[in-house]
Amino acid sequence: MSKKTRKKSSNTTGKRAATKIARGAGTSTRKSAAKSRTAVAKAKKAKQPVKTRSAAAVRSKASHTATSKPLSAKPAAAKSAGAILAEGAMAPAFTLPRDGGESVSLSDFAGKKLVLFFYPRADTPGCTKEAIDFTRLKNAFAAAGTEVLGISADTVKAQESFRNKHQLSVPLISDEQHQMLETYGVWGEKSLYGRTFMGIIRTTVLVDSDGKVARVWRHVKVDGHAEAVLEAARSL
């Protein structure tokens, strides 16, 4: 290769290297400029004043948040679907089917004292004991001029099975539509194991011979309850 050719080749290689260096420098410069612009933008954004909301907007948001809070699943007390009977008031009239296929009305007991014990469900432990206790004292209630009726929302068939299984002698009334239960204020909100539901609040009502409510026991504890009602009936 001649000196002239080698010189030309050397110049060409040098130009290529210079071009690469220039391109690299340009790319580096552009990246640096982009980083600088980003940094400047962030700095400006950081210096911007925080927008303040109006008092009305704050109140509006607070109001919306308050209404969206879930309600407590557990009530403070049982809520009745009907009015709670007041002692001294006239007992509400009723006519409902009973075990055996007949019907029973309040008017059937005119001039007599009457015990109405409302129980949550036939053939459950507490209800069974309560019904057996009232059956055991039936003759004592009769001697005191008092009749006894048991009432629940069970079907007539379920009441008959309950009667036959435990040899109950007090009439058992079926109120599947909750008509009497609501009128007497014993159908309400209950709580069990943190779950709320509607059902019968165990209640006993003593009606005197004039048809007036003499005593009301709510949230009944079964043990000794029938005896306490008998004493109240005797005292009228």
Side-chain angles (χ1 to χ4, degrees), residues 181-200:
L181 300 176
E182 293 185 14
T183 302
Y184 277 73
V186 302
W187 180 261
E189 194 174 67
K190 303 171 68 175
S191 177
L192 181 65
Y193 303 124
R195 182 176 64 92
T196 57
F197 57 95
M198 297 299 289
I200 297 175

Side-chain angles (χ1 to χ4, degrees), residues 161-217:
S161 297
F162 185 34
R163 175 200 64 195
N164 296 338
K165 181 178 180 180
H166 300 286
Q167 298 180 342
L168 305 175
S169 60
V170 294
L172 302 178
I173 296 178
S174 175
D175 186 11
E176 293 184 75
Q177 303 304 316
H178 311 156
Q179 297 173 355
M180 182 182 182
L181 300 176
E182 293 185 14
T183 302
Y184 277 73
V186 302
W187 180 261
E189 194 174 67
K190 303 171 68 175
S191 177
L192 181 65
Y193 303 124
R195 182 176 64 92
T196 57
F197 57 95
M198 297 299 289
I200 297 175
I201 301 167
R202 194 184 300 278
T203 305
T204 298
V205 177
L206 174 60
V207 181
D208 65 20
S209 57
D210 294 324
K212 294 182 179 180
V213 176
R215 286 285 303 276
V216 178
W217 293 264

